[in-house]
Amino acid sequence: MHFPAQIISFIAALFIMLFTGTLSDTSPVCSVIQGLPGLNGRDGRDGINGLKGDQGPPGEPGKQGIKGSNGAPGKQGPQGIPGSSGLPGQKGERGNTGASGPPGPEGKNCDCAAKSGLTDLQDRVSSMEDALKQLQLSISAKTKALLYARGATAGEKVFVTSGKELPYDESKADCQKAGGQLASPKNSEENNAILSIAQYYNLSPFLGITDIQTEGTFRYPDGKPITYLNWNLGEPNQKGEEDCVEMKLNGGWNDQGCQGKRLNICEF
Ligand code: MAN
Ligand code: CA
Ligand code: CA
């Protein structure tokens, strides 16, 4: 409990007066006169430390650090699996006849040379059979990939379109650049294979067949006259300048000018 300093001084003065009054019997009883207030007391001592406060909330996350420098290059990867064996090379030309050698030793009873020659031949045939199997697998995979993309096969031929529409000259050059030639059907199976692509794209292609060289004589790209034809009724009608051949979406042919753009279909 705190009392104001004046009150404390007053109580102290009163106490002293009472105390001195008790010690002196001779002093007459007299009226009490209030003295002046004493001086202020000194400041009290500092209180003891308060209890530890609760833990504060977690601070805001710091900013992202700057990017570190690139790491050292990784170790070299393991060696790849060996590729499939290549095709057997072509048969070499027969060598020149050598000069006759010295006479050989006398022959034994058994036909040992013929036997080892046969074994050698069997080994070679067997390794060629293996190579052939490998080749068939590889061709089959590539053909499937072509057909899946935008192609069709007929016999040994594969027809593929680039999906582009080009004038005859550009379409022809495009196929040649790719190692093929413009689709040139030589039978109904090939004609149908080309038609299936045309129908899928809903676009007519130019064939590789033209009468550019001799008006009225339609030829394959190698210059030989055609041996199979599938003209639509009334065609070829040579209307104006019509030296190219387009396949209509019914599979029939029409002689047509070479300048328009048609679906590019090559054969390989
Ligand atoms: C157009 C052209 C000709 C074709 C006739 C058929 O005029 O495509 O090539 O012969 O149509 O009606
Ligand atoms: Ca013509
Ligand atoms: Ca025509």
Side-chain angles (χ1 to χ4, degrees):
M1 188 186 283
H2 293 281
F3 294 102
Q6 288 94 334
I7 294 181
I8 293 171
S9 306
F10 176 72
I11 292 171
L14 194 62
F15 191 77
I16 290 166
M17 282 190 298
L18 282 173
F19 185 68
T20 48
T22 319
L23 285 179
S24 163
D25 293 337
T26 56
S27 42
V29 176
C30 59
S31 58
V32 175
I33 300 167
Q34 188 176 346
L36 290 171
L39 294 172
N40 290 346
R42 282 186 294 161
D43 291 346
R45 277 186 291 155
D46 292 347
I48 58 168
N49 289 347
L51 290 175
K52 191 180 173 188
D54 291 336
Q55 190 177 9
E60 291 278 305
K63 283 190 185 162
Q64 190 179 5
I66 52 167
K67 188 182 167 190
S69 53
N70 290 346
K75 280 187 197 160
Q76 190 176 14
Q79 192 178 359
I81 52 167
S84 52
S85 49
L87 295 177
Q90 281 188 318
K91 194 177 170 187
E93 278 181 35
R94 189 179 179 156
N96 294 328
T97 311
S100 54
E106 198 180 333
K108 291 179 190 163
N109 280 344
C110 89
D111 194 2
C112 301
K115 268 187 189 164
S116 82
L118 191 63
T119 314
D120 182 48
L121 206 59
Q122 281 168 337
D123 285 351
R124 291 175 66 178
V125 167
S126 146
S127 77
M128 279 172 80
E129 279 173 345
D130 287 348
L132 193 61
K133 271 184 212 153
Q134 202 67 43
L135 189 65
Q136 280 166 335
L137 283 174
S138 157
I139 288 175
S140 145
K142 286 176 175 63
T143 308
K144 279 184 209 158
L146 274 172
L147 297 186
Y148 176 74
R150 48 207 170 193
T153 52
E156 293 304 302
K157 278 191 190 175
V158 180
F159 299 97
V160 192
T161 178
S162 64
K164 289 181 280 191
E165 287 176 89
L166 302 169
Y168 168 80
D169 280 344
E170 288 178 41
S171 201
K172 179 184 169 186
D174 204 70
C175 291
Q176 285 175 340
K177 201 173 144 197
Q181 64 179 20
L182 273 174
S184 307
K186 288 191 167 174
N187 54 52
S188 60
E189 193 196 351
E190 292 181 8
N191 205 72
N192 283 336
I194 298 165
L195 177 62
S196 71
I197 298 173
Q199 285 178 337
Y200 182 82
Y201 281 79
N202 202 25
L203 291 171
S204 284
F206 274 131
L207 301 180
I209 295 163
T210 72
D211 72 341
I212 292 173
Q213 197 181 317
T214 326
E215 181 61 35
T217 304
F218 287 88
R219 301 172 190 274
Y220 294 120
D222 65 4
K224 291 185 180 146
I226 56 172
T227 53
Y228 162 83
L229 45 85
N230 196 38
W231 296 111
N232 267 340
L233 201 63
E235 306 294 348
N237 59 1
Q238 318 285 9
K239 206 173 177 185
E241 276 292 295
E242 295 193 325
D243 292 348
C244 283
V245 179
E246 64 176 349
M247 179 185 282
K248 292 289 190 181
L249 295 179
N250 65 353
W253 303 355
N254 169 40
D255 60 339
Q256 182 62 276
C258 301
Q259 304 312 315
K261 289 182 177 179
R262 295 292 183 275
L263 180 65
N264 158 255
I265 302 182
C266 311
E267 66 176 33
F268 298 91

